[in-house]
Amino acid sequence: QQRVVPDAISYSAAIGACETCVTWQEVLGVFVQMRRRRLEPGLMAYNAAISALEKNYRWREAVGMVTEMRLCRVRPNVVTFNA
């Protein structure tokens, strides 16, 4: 029996799917799990996390996430700044 191993795309999709249905802490928890598996979050994961933070009025954390994106050489786009 084969086991499916999550990758960066599946984590990004999970973050995106959760951003409106769970707490922002849970979304960031998925983001942390991704990192623990040594998967680098991409633009889609960052944008979904930033959007979840924005929907929960966590603007300081959202700004911090944009800073982290830049440090990780993930280039913010128009979606990032519209979140």
Side-chain angles (χ1 to χ4, degrees), residues 18-29:
C18 291
E19 74 180 79
T20 58
C21 61
V22 297
T23 67
W24 63 271
Q25 294 97 330
E26 290 171 308
V27 171
L28 292 183

Side-chain angles (χ1 to χ4, degrees), residues 21-53:
C21 61
V22 297
T23 67
W24 63 271
Q25 294 97 330
E26 290 171 308
V27 171
L28 292 183
V30 174
F31 202 84
V32 169
Q33 286 179 18
M34 186 177 183
R35 284 263 168 88
R36 285 186 182 148
R37 291 187 172 266
R38 302 196 192 298
L39 297 170
E40 289 300 318
L43 182 62
M44 187 172 129
Y46 277 109
N47 283 348
I50 290 166
S51 180
L53 291 167

